Amino acid sequence: MQVRLTIESNTGGSGKTTLASHLAYALASKKLRVVLIELDPNGSLALFTGLPKLRPDEVEDSIACIFERQFKGNYPLVPVWESSTKLVQVIRGGSPLHTAIRGLHLHERPYEVLKDRLEDYPIDADVIIIDTPASVEPMGLIALAAATHFIAAIKPEFKDSWSSSDMLNWFYEKVDSLRLRPRPKILGFVPSRVDLQKAVHRNLLGLKADGSVNEKIDPVDTIPYQLEQLEIPCFPHIKESGFFLSASGTGLPVHLYRPDDKITKSFDPIIKEIVKILKTK
């Protein structure tokens, strides 16, 4: 069985690509075969994995190729971090996706294109991670239709926390309107880019500056509590770190850039959940 995980957010700067690339490496460290698919026209995943960005005409080297009618399963898979692992491959997005978006109306099932391709031409991987742009449509919707599992990345700030309710409404509405069967499962929300020196981050997560629980904060006002009432998991936060920025500039995950730093452990709870799902299946 295969986990297809889409990482989504309806606001920019929430750390989706950071999460996608680091989950990929961490899963590969567990001897799992991982494919990263980028549905973002900005092409940020290329930077995080050390690959060159694509020109608009390089359709055959981009996930944009699946939108062409002559597609026969020739996914443009590119291995990354080969000196450390042979288990991670990337399908870049980037600027070729702009043309694909404009031509979506030509497809009979425009939002199911990726889903249909993956079913007709399966990719040999244990986990497929889909990185999406800040806008949930159309690419976030295409990712949702193809996914078995869903993660939302959220910054603990008022604008983002308010948007999270819109995100959930969008999720349930689109799962129903697309008649997705089986329904993608919400794996959880991930507070990311967290800076506990900021009062708003501490207050919305119910934490002190050292990361311990702040019992003076009413839990009703915190993001984890609100998600808990909806029976939606909230993973431990991933803090903001300059190492993420520095590592992305070298095309490496922090696991390779700063292997001894405790920030590498931030992804373990999500990895544990994905491994559990695979073992259950």
Side-chain angles (χ1 to χ4, degrees):
M1 299 296 292
Q2 184 179 79
V3 168
R4 299 179 192 162
L5 175 65
T6 179
I7 301 175
E8 310 218 11
S9 174
N10 53 353
T11 59
S14 59
K16 293 187 302 299
T17 304
T18 298
L19 185 56
S21 58
H22 286 81
L23 286 179
Y25 184 82
L27 286 165
S29 298
K30 298 291 185 182
K31 309 303 180 186
L32 295 170
R33 297 162 299 160
V34 184
V35 168
L36 277 164
I37 295 178
E38 181 182 38
L39 288 180
D40 190 349
N42 288 327
S44 301
L45 190 60
L47 172 66
F48 279 72
T49 54
L51 297 173
K53 293 186 76 168
L54 297 174
R55 300 188 308 270
D57 61 332
E58 293 182 292
V59 174
E60 298 307 315
D61 295 318
S62 165
I63 192 63
C65 68
I66 71 165
F67 296 91
E68 298 189 326
R69 293 194 176 276
Q70 66 269 27
F71 180 80
K72 296 298 180 184
N74 50 325
Y75 297 102
L77 292 156
V78 181
V80 293
W81 310 317
E82 287 186 279
S83 62
S84 301
T85 180
K86 306 297 183 184
L87 297 175
V88 182
Q89 298 181 90
V90 173
I91 306 177
R92 286 169 288 179
S95 54
L97 281 171
H98 288 297
T99 300
I101 292 172
R102 290 193 294 269
L104 269 182
H105 66 282
L106 300 174
H107 294 270
E108 293 181 2
R109 288 162 49 89
Y111 300 117
E112 292 90 347
V113 172
L114 178 58
K115 175 179 183 290
D116 292 344
R117 295 307 196 196
L118 291 174
E119 291 180 357
D120 292 343
Y121 308 103
I123 292 176
D124 187 20
D126 299 301
V127 182
I128 293 176
I129 300 174
I130 308 172
D131 187 28
T132 62
S135 56
V136 290
E137 296 189 22
M139 288 305 177
L141 190 52
I142 290 171
L144 178 64
T148 61
H149 294 80
F150 172 98
I151 273 184
I154 178 175
K155 285 185 70 177
E157 297 178 358
F158 290 116
K159 176 177 70 70
D160 298 71
S161 62
W162 290 341
S163 298
S164 65
S165 61
D166 295 333
M167 187 78 187
L168 283 172
N169 290 334
W170 174 85
F171 173 88
Y172 291 120
E173 175 189 338
K174 297 307 179 182
V175 164
D176 286 340
S177 64
L178 290 175
R179 301 172 64 88
L180 299 180
R181 302 293 185 273
R183 297 166 64 93
K185 178 179 174 55
I186 298 178
L187 204 59
F189 275 58
V190 183
S192 59
R193 303 194 65 184
V194 175
D195 182 355
L196 292 180
Q197 299 307 307
K198 294 181 178 179
V200 65
H201 287 204
R202 296 196 303 271
N203 293 341
L204 284 174
L205 294 177
L207 300 175
K208 298 179 181 178
D210 62 1
S212 61
V213 175
N214 189 342
E215 296 179 354
K216 295 181 179 180
I217 296 176
D218 188 341
V220 173
D221 297 325
T222 67
I223 292 172
Y225 178 88
Q226 293 167 4
L227 290 171
E228 182 183 338
Q229 303 315 297
L230 298 171
E231 299 184 345
I232 294 173
C234 183
F235 287 101
H237 69 273
I238 298 174
K239 73 173 186 178
E240 183 78 286
S241 172
F243 289 150
F244 287 132
L245 294 175
S246 300
S248 67
T250 64
L252 297 174
V254 290
H255 301 79
L256 296 176
Y257 184 77
R258 285 284 181 176
D260 297 328
D261 194 88
K262 62 182 180 180
I263 195 72
T264 60
K265 305 296 184 183
S266 301
F267 308 93
D268 289 355
I270 306 174
I271 297 302
K272 182 179 179 180
E273 191 64 26
I274 295 173
V275 170
K276 184 171 73 172
I277 291 168
L278 288 168
K279 287 182 177 180
T280 302
K281 288 179 178 296

